């Protein structure tokens, strides 16, 4: 675990949407804007998975997105942290029994933390990420 | 020699928040053709709806899209009310309009901010999203949630806007109006934005008609269509407002239309709030049963007309729900706007229709690599005919 101390300073997150209703995604973007200002915790949203320490995953993985999600996950450097944001990513939510849904996320990739809510408030998302940092 | 290059955008690309895949065919810097692949977000909502009751269906369609999360419920309730011939109380009509317009405000601001982000103008993004927050706060106070308001039910609305909330709402609106006014003036006078957006991605009036564009995309090309006026529902025929159009059809015109529409929305909300003080009474009509039959409903979502079709067989669940979201018709206009532009402009032109792919996702096309066949247009047609026949048979009717 000691190797992870470097992440405690500043964790870079990548936002991965895989069949969500867009609302969790908007709330994640909202975290960046002046009112919530995620960056004051050193959390930075990055454009490329290769730079990321953690994935903020939303949505309940559709069949078409599945191979891409696996590829994105494989490209991520170690240690791979995945934070499932929203009811969809945590449990499948309202789409649980849909024919095109293979999720929830923890069926496909190991998930580190869950932030439930539909959508979770930005405060909850920030809280989730900060809790992950503190647990490292 | 073929000098064509293909530049892929997506499905997971830093600029997009949703997975979608564009193939730009390039010749040097110039885009000569564009192909769109969607389906990454398809969640089979129409199918799930068949296993929900009419009341639950409203919460389901709310989750079609997080940004239009009251547009789909309004259209859906309109459809169910059309089916069951329900008259909604007057107070509920005003409340529906208020929530609908608040959503337009937050959605247009959201888009304007993202548009800034797309052209690398992050100051604009941060700035506008900051002014969007008060509107979300109003939502939280009035409906109990920042997004996914759960306000609509067939027959009316679920929550009342109380007398004591109205001053808070008006104050928030005044504040928002001042800020939007400031942003609008700044955006319209900004030489950088003008240089970047004027004359870019022009959608001509003819093309807009040919591609059946709706909403701000059509209005920016000089076509004054708006369901709120053309087929009024809720309280839109009881208040005074006007349709904003622009003639140019470029990206800048779309920005102008959206920003000016915000003021119309504020105007509508103010009038509705005033009426709420005098119009008292029930907020929802009693709905006992939904008779067999079919109904349609629509709503002018921030992106254009959303259309819902509901068919019932007399039980408590619908047998068919059909949704047509505005992006579904607006997206093909990129065939007319993107070719001929440079690759740097492609992203903002694609974003200019305010695309919302989670609304649009229609059918799952399974990748050939996994060994399964992709469905083509003919297959879909056959499937849909088969399904309609089955439904007709179950309902004991011969024709649609
Ligand atoms: S959890 Fe709710 S808000 Fe988030 S993507 Fe799923 S349906 Fe949308």
């Amino acid at each position: 675990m000691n190797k992870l101390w470097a992440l405690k300073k500043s964790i870079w997150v990548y936002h991965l949407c895989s069949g969500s209703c867009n609302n969790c995604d908007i709330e994640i973007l909202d975290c960046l804007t002046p009112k919530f200002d995620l960056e004051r915790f050193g959390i930075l949203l990055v454009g490329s998975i290769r730079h990321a320490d953690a994935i903020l995953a939303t949505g309940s993985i559709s069949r078409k997105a599945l191979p891409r999600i696996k590829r994105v996950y494989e490209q991520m450097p170690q240690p791979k942290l995945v934070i499932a944001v929203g009811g969809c990513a945590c449990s499948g939510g309202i789409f649980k029994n849909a024919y095109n849904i293979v999720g929830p996320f923890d069926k496909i990739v190991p998930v580190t933390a869950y932030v439930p809510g539909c959508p979770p408030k930005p405060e909850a998302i920030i809280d989730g990420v900060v809790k992950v940092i503190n647990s490292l | 020699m073929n000098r064509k290059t293909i530049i892929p955008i997506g499905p997971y690309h830093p600029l997009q928040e949703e997975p979608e895949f564009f193939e730009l065919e390039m010749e040097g810097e110039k885009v000569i053709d564009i192909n769109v692949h969607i389906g990454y977000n398809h969640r089979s909502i129409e199918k799930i709806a068949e296993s929900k009751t009419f009341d639950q269906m409203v919460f389901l369609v709310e989750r079609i899209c997080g940004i239009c999360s009251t547009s789909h419920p309004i259209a859906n309730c309109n459809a169910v009310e059309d089916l069951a011939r329900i008259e909604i109380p007057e107070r509920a009509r005003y409340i529906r309009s208020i929530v609908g317009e608040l959503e337009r405000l937050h959605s247009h601001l959201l888009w304007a901010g993202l548009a800034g982000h797309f052209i690398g103008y992050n100051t604009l993004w941060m700035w506008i999203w900051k002014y969007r927050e008060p509107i979300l706060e109003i939502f939280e106070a009035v409906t109990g949630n920042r997004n996914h308001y759960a306000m609509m039910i067939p027959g009316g609305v679920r929550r009342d806007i109380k007398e004591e909330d109205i001053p808070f709402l008006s104050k928030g609106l005044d504040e928002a109006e001042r800020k939007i006014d400031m942003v609008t003036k700044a955006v319209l006078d900004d030489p950088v934005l003008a240089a970047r957006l004027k004359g870019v991605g022009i959608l001509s009036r003819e093309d807009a008609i040919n591609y059946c564009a709706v909403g701000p995309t059509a209005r920016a090309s000089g076509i004054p269509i708006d369901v709120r006026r053309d087929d009024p529902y809720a309280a839109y025929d009881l208040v005074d407002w006007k349709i904003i159009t622009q003639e140019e059809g470029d990206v800048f015109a779309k920005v102008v239309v959206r920003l000016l529409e915000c003021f119309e929305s504020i105007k509508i909300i103010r009038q509705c709030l005033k009426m709420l003080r005098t119009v008292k009474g029930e907020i929802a009509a009693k709905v006992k049963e939904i008779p067999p039959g079919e109904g349609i409903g629509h709503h002018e979502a921030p992106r254009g007309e959303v259309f819902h079709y509901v068919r019932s067989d007399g039980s408590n669940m619908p047998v068919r729900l059909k949704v047509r979201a505005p992006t579904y018709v607006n997206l093909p206009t990129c065939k007319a706007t993107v070719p001929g532009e440079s690759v740097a402009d492609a992203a903002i032109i694609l974003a200019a229709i305010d695309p919302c792919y989670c609304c649009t996702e229609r059918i799952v096309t399974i990748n050939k690599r996994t060994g399964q066949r992709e469905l083509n247009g003919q297959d879909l047609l056959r499937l849909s005919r088969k399904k309609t026949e089955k439904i007709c048979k179950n309902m004991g009717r011969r024709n649609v």
Side-chain angles (χ1 to χ4, degrees):
Chain A
M1 264 301 159
N2 267 345
K3 268 189 252 154
L4 297 180
W5 68 269
L7 285 185
K8 285 190 174 179
K9 293 286 174 232
S10 164
I11 188 167
W12 286 11
V13 295
Y14 175 82
H15 160 219
L16 182 69
C17 159
S18 63
S20 71
C21 80
N22 218 349
N23 217 340
C24 286
D25 314 289
I26 293 294
E27 292 293 52
I28 288 178
L29 284 189
D30 228 4
C31 296
L32 293 175
T33 53
K35 186 171 172 199
F36 299 104
D37 196 11
L38 205 73
E39 287 180 21
R40 69 200 148 113
F41 300 112
I43 305 169
L44 190 71
L45 199 70
V46 290
S48 164
I49 184 68
R50 288 162 207 267
H51 301 159
D53 302 310
I55 292 183
L56 287 180
T58 65
S60 41
I61 311 197
S62 67
R63 273 180 212 284
K64 192 168 177 178
L66 177 64
R68 278 88 176 175
I69 305 258
K70 283 191 180 148
R71 284 245 311 265
V72 166
Y73 183 74
E74 281 157 13
Q75 288 173 8
M76 186 182 183
Q78 294 282 2
K80 306 183 186 210
L81 301 177
V82 178
I83 301 163
V85 176
C88 283
C90 293
S91 69
I94 200 165
F95 308 116
K96 198 168 173 198
N97 296 325
Y99 62 75
N100 198 32
I101 295 298
V102 289
F105 247 90
D106 50 9
K107 259 202 214 160
I108 312 297
V109 297
V111 173
T112 324
Y114 300 84
V115 183
C118 185
K121 293 179 75 173
E123 291 94 331
I125 300 177
I126 297 176
D127 188 41
V129 179
V130 170
K131 275 202 178 122
V132 168
I133 298 180
N134 288 340
S135 74
L136 287 177
Chain B
M1 196 170 98
N2 188 2
R3 307 192 129 270
K4 216 166 61 179
T5 340
I6 292 195
I7 295 194
I9 306 186
Y12 290 99
H13 188 270
L15 261 188
Q16 306 158 331
E17 14 151 341
E18 299 160 88
E20 63 265 349
F21 182 28
F22 301 102
E23 261 173 25
L24 302 180
E25 288 180 18
M26 311 284 304
E27 225 175 53
E29 273 280 287
K30 215 172 80 198
V31 183
I32 50 171
D33 203 359
I34 176 164
N35 294 316
V36 188
H37 300 252
I38 57 171
Y40 297 95
N41 246 349
H42 180 79
R43 284 152 297 157
S44 55
I45 288 182
E46 291 176 359
K47 186 71 191 168
I48 307 176
E50 293 166 15
S51 62
K52 300 270 179 238
T53 65
F54 284 98
D55 279 348
Q56 291 170 334
M57 182 166 66
V58 183
F59 302 115
L60 176 70
V61 297
E62 193 168 66
R63 278 150 186 84
I64 291 178
C65 171
I67 313 177
C68 317
S69 59
T70 206
S71 307
H72 286 283
I74 291 182
N76 193 275
C77 290
N78 280 343
V80 176
E81 282 148 16
D82 177 43
L83 163 73
R85 308 260 168 275
I86 303 165
E87 221 15 86
I88 69 168
E90 199 178 349
R91 192 171 170 88
R93 292 173 65 179
Y94 286 111
I95 296 178
R96 273 191 187 179
S97 287
I98 291 174
V99 181
E101 291 313 305
L102 277 173
E103 182 189 74
R104 193 179 316 280
L105 271 179
H106 110 76
S107 171
H108 280 349
L109 289 181
L110 181 144
W111 177 81
L114 282 183
H117 175 55
F118 285 142
I119 56 172
Y121 200 170
N122 274 354
T123 320
L124 192 70
W125 177 34
M126 293 294 164
W127 201 30
I128 294 186
W129 278 46
K130 183 172 154 206
Y131 299 143
R132 177 178 158 262
E133 279 305 320
I135 296 167
L136 295 182
E137 267 158 31
I138 295 182
F139 267 129
E140 201 168 355
V142 171
T143 71
N145 207 356
R146 285 162 55 91
N147 318 74
H148 284 332
Y149 325 110
M151 278 292 267
M152 306 299 152
I153 77 173
V157 291
R158 282 181 65 231
R159 277 162 177 257
D160 205 353
I161 294 182
K162 295 192 200 69
E163 189 71 41
E164 44 294 8
D165 283 341
I166 294 180
F168 173 74
L169 245 158
S170 324
K171 208 172 119 243
L173 273 185
D174 292 343
E175 179 97 336
E177 188 180 29
R178 233 175 313 125
K179 294 289 159 54
I180 298 171
D181 191 41
M182 192 174 84
V183 170
T184 310
K185 284 192 188 126
V187 167
L188 297 190
D189 289 342
D190 194 321
V192 179
L193 285 177
R196 190 73 165 73
L197 303 179
K198 270 194 182 153
V200 168
I202 296 177
L203 179 68
S204 67
R205 199 189 152 92
E206 291 71 46
D207 278 339
I209 293 175
N210 288 342
Y211 281 100
C212 304
V214 291
T217 309
R219 292 198 282 273
S221 298
I223 307 171
I225 53 165
D226 196 319
V227 199
R228 290 176 290 172
R229 186 212 50 194
D230 300 339
D231 181 15
Y233 52 92
Y236 291 116
D237 49 346
L238 306 174
V239 291
D240 170 45
W241 58 283
K242 62 178 195 296
I243 296 179
I244 307 282
T245 54
Q246 291 283 315
E247 292 305 320
E248 295 84 3
D250 54 3
V251 178
F252 197 74
K254 291 178 182 134
V255 180
V256 175
V257 166
R258 292 206 171 91
L259 286 175
L260 295 184
E261 267 180 16
C262 289
F263 296 105
E264 293 303 310
S265 295
I266 294 178
K267 215 162 94 190
I268 297 176
I269 302 172
R270 286 227 176 91
Q271 294 174 49
C272 290
L273 282 177
K274 208 161 124 221
M275 293 308 290
L276 277 191
R277 290 186 191 269
T278 51
V279 181
K280 299 278 184 222
E282 286 288 299
I283 54 165
K286 283 259 171 316
V287 183
K288 290 229 174 57
E289 59 173 346
I290 309 283
E294 49 190 6
I296 56 166
H298 42 201
H299 170 64
E300 182 76 18
R303 290 152 186 76
E305 175 191 358
V306 3
F307 174 88
H308 277 235
Y309 164 88
V310 177
R311 185 196 273 265
S312 149
D313 60 356
S315 68
N316 61 348
M317 293 182 202
V319 283
R320 179 79 173 101
L321 163 71
K322 160 90 188 123
V323 180
R324 200 198 65 174
T327 303
Y328 191 56
V329 280
N330 282 341
L331 189 58
T333 61
C334 69
K335 278 265 185 207
T337 50
V338 177
E341 303 285 348
S342 83
V343 63
D345 288 337
I348 181 67
I349 300 172
L350 287 171
I353 60 163
D354 198 354
C356 182
Y357 300 96
C358 39
C359 298
T360 305
E361 303 295 14
R362 303 297 345 168
I363 181 74
V364 45
T365 53
I366 291 166
N367 196 304
K368 282 191 179 122
R369 250 186 305 151
T370 61
Q372 267 159 306
R373 187 173 57 121
E374 289 190 51
L375 294 172
N376 62 22
Q378 285 302 322
D379 292 333
L380 295 183
L381 208 64
R382 212 188 54 239
L383 281 177
S384 101
R385 288 214 178 111
K386 224 162 80 192
K387 168 126 195 218
T388 316
E389 274 163 23
K390 204 174 88 203
I391 294 177
C392 288
K393 212 166 88 212
N394 288 346
M395 288 177 71
R397 278 212 267 152
R398 271 189 49 241
N399 221 325
V400 181

